[in-house]
Each structure stands twice: as structure tokens, then as C-alpha cells.
Amino acid sequence: MDEAAILSRLGLDRVNPGAYAGIWYEGGGDTEPIYNPTTGDVLAEITTCDAATYDLVVDKATEAFEAWRATPAPVRGEYIRRLGQALRDRKEDLGALVTLETGKILAEGTGEVQEMIDICDFAVGLSRQLYGLTMASERPRHRMYEQWHPLGPIGVITAFNFPVAVWSWNAAIGAVCGDSIVWKPSPRSSLTAVAVTAICDRVMAGTGLGAVFSLAAGGTGIGSRMAGDRRLPLISATGSSAMGRSVGSKVANRLGSSLLELGGNNAMIVMDDADLDLATRAALFAAVGTAGQRCTTLRRLIVHSDVVEDMAKRMVTAYESVPIGDPMQEGILMGPLITDDAVAGMLAAVETAQAQGGKVLTGGRRRSIHGLSDRFVEPTIIEIGKDAPILHTETFAPILYLIEVRSLAEAIEVNNSVPQGLSSAIFTDSIGRAESFLSHRGSDCGLANVNIGTSGAEIGGAFGGEKDTGGGRESGSDAWKAYMRRQTTTINWGGELPLAQGIEFS
Ligand code: UN1
């Protein structure tokens, strides 16, 4: 595929403005290169926002919010329907750009765009279903109900690994809820953000509402400004737990709301009655997909002692047949890591694990591929004891720790023993074991699957996790409630003034 042609069809230039609020702004900040991790070459450049441009963007997004919230929700939904259609029309090119910018394989790049299309479809239906409850009042001739109002311009901070899908969960849902969106993409993957914002610009053309989907590219300086900015009542942020702590505490300090989707350290339990073929296939996709750079990536495989040898053998065979290389090429299942630092981080983790008694069953090294960058690694399995301290940290790379356990109770204990709580899975044919894993004493994670891996969630469910994962919920189910303010209303339609709790005051 011709890289220049893809960029040009998506309206990208050699240097691209990183600020948009109804019109494009130069940004005023430094011009930063965006690299293709596969080749190590610069794809294009982007001008980031300085403080003044950031302020202007938020002002414009605030103005747009005033008009947008007055637009009926189903009409807002109609714009999202058009956005979904525009994404369908651009799916191949945008998916390819995701691959060029992140190094995930093309099937996953276009899958990410499909995830955007799916959430747009969901949001269109939701635009007619922003339901509030009606309560029975304890007082005669009184009516009580709740209604949901738009919240304001909201800040959305996204990570490199899902550069556009996670924005769309927030933007499509937030927009039908009546919010305008200020997007700070990851500095490592901002070109997709420019391309998506250009698509939004076309969808909103002629309405004067372009700034509903605003863009403020930049580094942690911009993220920190957003966190402290009282004009943004909600900050939705995706990234590491360290980033979430810093953003979350700054937002909390001004009593704003935050929706945090942070680190995962996801485990899959394989019981002795599991279908091992199914479990192997699921573990392979969950651990090696996106080169181990999803927040839902499988990092710990907890296996019953009766099947651990068999499972280890199957996994090693599967790992050693993973085609590694240019993610644009058909048949390749694993591309590069995002940066040199990510590779160094992975190699350091392998060393640490070995120092803690871990035994590398396969992988553990850099993989050199002729003509490509040196960001390729071998997918790695490390057999390790359940008490190794390294099991508590998330290394954003394809390392899978294999942990042997003797019972379901021990497996659940290991599953829950880490600080993070995003995704989890069990493979078993026993309904009792599955339900036990799903019970209140089972997995402590936001996502708990049976006979499905830890990654690749559908948009229809609420997505997010507990503990160091941050507690936020995005995407489907009733996650939309985070993007609106709830108003409880009591109406007295009688001529008396009875007080609640039977209080007499006369
Ligand atoms: C992320 O890695 O931040 O469940 C999101 C999944 C994808 C989303 C991952 N639907 O793996």
C-alpha cells in the first residue's frame, strides 16, 4: 500500500495543524514528527498547541456547547449517524493509517475503525434513549422524576495504542449527550486524530457546530492544563496508572469529574476441564495481538497443575509460529513495539523476571527484520512463581507469565492479587466453576469472561476496571450517564405544602 497516497486521501500534509475548533489553527507550539514504528521513518509532522491556542480551542468548544446542547438529542444522533457513515467510507484508509502510526496489524487497524463505526451506531440509538426514572413521591399531589442534561465541553485524553476507537467511545456518546469534545491525542499517534477531526469537520460543515469535535494536540503540558481547567467539567483519560493518578488528583482538586481507563494486568485461568485448543487460541490473540500493547492484553496465564505442561507446550508451539514483520503485510500477526523505550522496557522486564526465578520458555529477545526498524521483539512466555513481584507491574509488551496453581480458589486469589483490575477470563467446561469465578468472591475485575480471552471487548458493554485501573466505565450499557448531569425534580401540583419525613413547620 502506498503510504503517501493513504495520507493524501485522508487530507494529511507533510506538516499538519494540531489544533481545531470549527476551523484549523496552526497550534503555536513545537512542530513534532510522528514516526512509523515499523520503519522508524517520519510519517509526517504536526504542530502542537501552545497555551494561547489551547485556551482558544476550549473557548470555541464552550461556545459550540451552548448551541449543541440546545439541539434535540435525536438530531445530535443524526450527526453521529453521518459520522458513522463517513467512517464507513474511509474505513480502509483510516485503518491503514492506524497501522502506519501504531504498528498494529492491518486487520486490527481496520478493526479499530469498525469499533468507531459500532459505537456511532450505538450512539444513534442512544440519542433517543437518554431515559430518566420516575419515582413515587411520599407526598400527595407531588411528582418526582429525574432528567439528564448535557454536562459541558469535556476533555478526552487518549493513548497511542487505540488512537481513534477510545476517542470515539467518548466522542460519539458524549456528543449525543449534548457535550462538546476537546481531544488531546497521544503525541505518538496524533495523525489519526487529525484525520478523524478532518472527517468530523466535513460531517459538521455548514452547521457552525464544527467545534463540537475540537482538537488540541500536545504533550503532558496540554494534558495538565486540561486537568486543571474548570471549563471542562469532565476529563476522560486513558493511559498508565501513573498518568491517571496525576490527572485524576488534579481534576479532583477542582472538584471536577474524571473517567479513568488506566493500566490492566489481565489474567486468564485455565482449569483442568478446559478445552485447551480453545484456550490456546484465545490466549494467543489476547497476549500477542497488538504486540501486547492493549490495556486488555493477557499478561498472566494461570493454569491448573494437571494441564500446565500440556498448555505450556501448546502455547510455546503457537508462539514460535507467529509471523512477525511489517503489519501492513497480509499474514503477519505481530508488528513492532511503539518506541525504542518500549523495547528497552520489555527487555528489562525479562531480565527482572529471570532474576525473580522466572524461566523463559520462548522469546525474550529483540527480533531483527531486514529493512525494518529495530522495534521488533519475540513474543515471550515466562514461567514464574505466583509470588514474583514483577507480576504486579504492567509491562506494555508481549510478555506472558505462566503461573501454575492447584485449585480454582488459588487461581482466583492469584487473579485478584495485583493492583490493577481491568479484564479477566476463565476457561472451564464446568458451570459451577464459571459461576464461582463470576460471583462476588470471584474475579475483582471490571470485565470477567468465560471461554473468551481478556481482550477484544464489544462496544455494547460498559468498558473499564477497578483498583489501579481507575474505576471509569466507557462505551456501552449505561456508561453515557458519566457524560451528563442528573437532575432530580420534585413538582408539587396541589395547593398544600406537605413536608417530606412528615415534618410539621407551622
Ligand atoms: C485499550 O487497550 O485501551 O477490548 C482499549 C479491547 C478493545 C479496546 C482496548 N476493544 O481489547
Side-chain angles (χ1 to χ4, degrees):
M1 258 194 252
D2 181 351
E3 188 178 301
I6 295 165
L7 266 63
S8 131
R9 282 198 295 272
L10 289 168
L12 296 167
D13 291 318
R14 194 69 219 137
V15 181
N16 300 277
Y20 173 90
I23 56 168
W24 292 94
Y25 299 97
E26 271 314 315
D30 295 339
T31 299
E32 300 286 353
I34 306 286
Y35 294 94
N36 177 346
T38 302
T39 58
D41 297 339
V42 173
L43 274 171
E45 291 182 316
I46 189 160
T47 57
T48 58
C49 283
D50 60 6
T53 313
Y54 165 79
D55 271 337
L56 184 67
V57 167
V58 180
D59 278 346
K60 296 283 174 201
T62 307
E63 270 172 45
F65 168 67
E66 292 303 324
W68 187 239
R69 70 165 153 187
T71 307
V75 178
R76 300 194 293 251
E78 167 59 16
Y79 286 104
I80 297 300
R81 190 190 64 75
R82 290 181 202 169
L83 174 59
Q85 189 51 47
L87 291 169
R88 277 182 173 89
D89 296 342
R90 295 260 173 242
K91 182 174 168 184
E92 299 309 317
D93 282 336
L94 196 54
L97 183 62
V98 169
T99 291
L100 289 173
E101 201 173 45
T102 66
K104 65 174 74 172
I105 61 169
L106 201 51
E108 292 190 65
T110 47
E112 176 160 358
V113 181
Q114 185 59 46
E115 197 160 345
M116 302 176 82
I117 294 166
D118 292 344
I119 197 74
C120 286
D121 287 354
F122 180 93
V124 175
L126 177 67
S127 71
R128 291 180 186 268
Q129 299 175 79
L130 301 168
Y131 300 139
L133 297 173
T134 303
M135 299 88 182
S137 171
E138 65 190 55
R139 289 169 280 185
R141 296 175 187 239
H142 279 58
R143 181 163 76 84
M144 258 174 97
Y145 78 109
E146 60 187 20
Q147 54 178 347
W148 294 87
H149 291 309
L151 201 53
I154 63 166
V156 177
I157 298 173
T158 54
F160 82 84
N161 65 330
F162 271 80
V164 286
V166 175
W167 168 82
S168 72
W169 298 347
N170 287 280
I173 302 290
V176 296
C177 289
D179 303 337
S180 58
I181 317 295
V182 178
W183 182 9
K184 189 200 94 61
S186 161
R188 288 193 292 274
S189 52
S190 320
L191 276 184
T192 42
V194 173
V196 166
T197 302
I199 292 172
C200 293
D201 175 57
R202 274 196 297 278
V203 167
M204 304 306 276
T207 62
L209 289 164
V212 166
F213 300 106
S214 291
L215 179 70
T220 48
I222 295 295
S224 164
R225 262 175 207 284
M226 289 170 89
D229 194 336
R230 297 184 74 90
R231 292 172 294 179
L232 303 174
L234 171 71
I235 301 293
S236 172
T238 304
S240 67
S241 296
M243 179 281 292
R245 262 191 199 96
S246 139
V247 168
S249 58
K250 202 158 179 189
V251 175
N253 201 38
R254 63 171 167 95
L255 302 179
S257 305
S258 51
L259 196 169
L260 301 174
E261 200 249 288
L262 311 174
N265 189 351
N266 316 296
M268 180 171 133
I269 296 171
V270 180
M271 292 306 295
D272 49 351
D273 61 354
D275 177 335
L276 296 190
D277 181 42
L278 207 66
T280 305
R281 278 157 49 205
L284 186 70
F285 174 68
V288 171
T290 331
Q293 298 170 110
R294 288 193 190 209
C295 56
T296 49
T297 290
L298 175 64
R299 310 215 176 273
R300 297 174 298 137
L301 190 61
I302 304 169
V303 186
H304 191 277
S305 48
D306 285 357
V307 291
V308 72
E309 222 171 281
D310 192 355
M311 192 65 197
K313 241 189 250 154
R314 288 166 186 262
M315 289 299 294
V316 168
T317 307
Y319 264 53
E320 290 180 352
S321 64
V322 170
I324 304 169
D326 182 348
M328 286 293 237
Q329 239 175 56
E330 213 176 307
I332 293 295
L333 290 184
M334 199 178 111
L337 296 190
I338 189 73
T339 56
D340 294 334
D341 283 355
V343 175
M346 168 168 173
L347 299 178
V350 171
E351 259 184 49
T352 308
Q354 283 173 311
Q356 293 176 7
K359 186 173 149 215
V360 175
L361 300 187
T362 182
R365 289 170 309 190
R366 211 187 270 272
R367 166 76 61 93
S368 72
I369 295 173
H370 183 67
L372 298 183
S373 79
D374 53 8
R375 296 182 191 169
F376 291 81
V377 293
E378 295 172 346
T380 300
I381 303 177
I382 302 178
E383 190 177 42
I384 199 161
K386 65 175 182 178
D387 296 322
I390 187 118
L391 291 175
H392 289 228
T393 48
E394 177 192 39
T395 303
F396 227 54
I399 302 177
L400 179 64
Y401 298 109
L402 179 73
I403 305 155
E404 179 178 347
V405 293
R406 291 182 193 287
S407 66
L408 179 60
E410 187 185 4
I412 291 173
E413 190 188 309
V414 173
N415 180 76
N416 295 351
S417 67
V418 297
Q420 307 83 352
L422 179 57
S423 187
S424 58
I426 188 169
F427 274 69
T428 177
D429 274 351
S430 148
I431 196 165
R433 285 168 164 180
E435 291 290 347
S436 179
F437 173 75
L438 300 174
S439 78
H440 60 100
R441 288 220 177 98
S443 165
D444 63 0
C445 295
L447 309 170
N449 298 332
V450 176
N451 294 338
I452 293 176
T454 53
S455 68
E458 302 176 19
I459 56 92
F463 183 93
E466 307 301 338
K467 304 193 289 185
D468 279 8
T469 303
R473 291 296 187 278
E474 294 172 300
S475 193
S477 183
D478 65 351
W480 61 270
K481 290 178 176 171
Y483 301 86
M484 301 197 87
R485 63 185 169 88
R486 183 196 313 242
Q487 187 169 69
T488 303
T489 294
T490 311
I491 302 166
N492 174 6
W493 55 274
E496 310 284 314
L497 195 66
L499 298 177
Q501 295 88 43
I503 292 174
E504 292 291 340
F505 200 76
S506 59

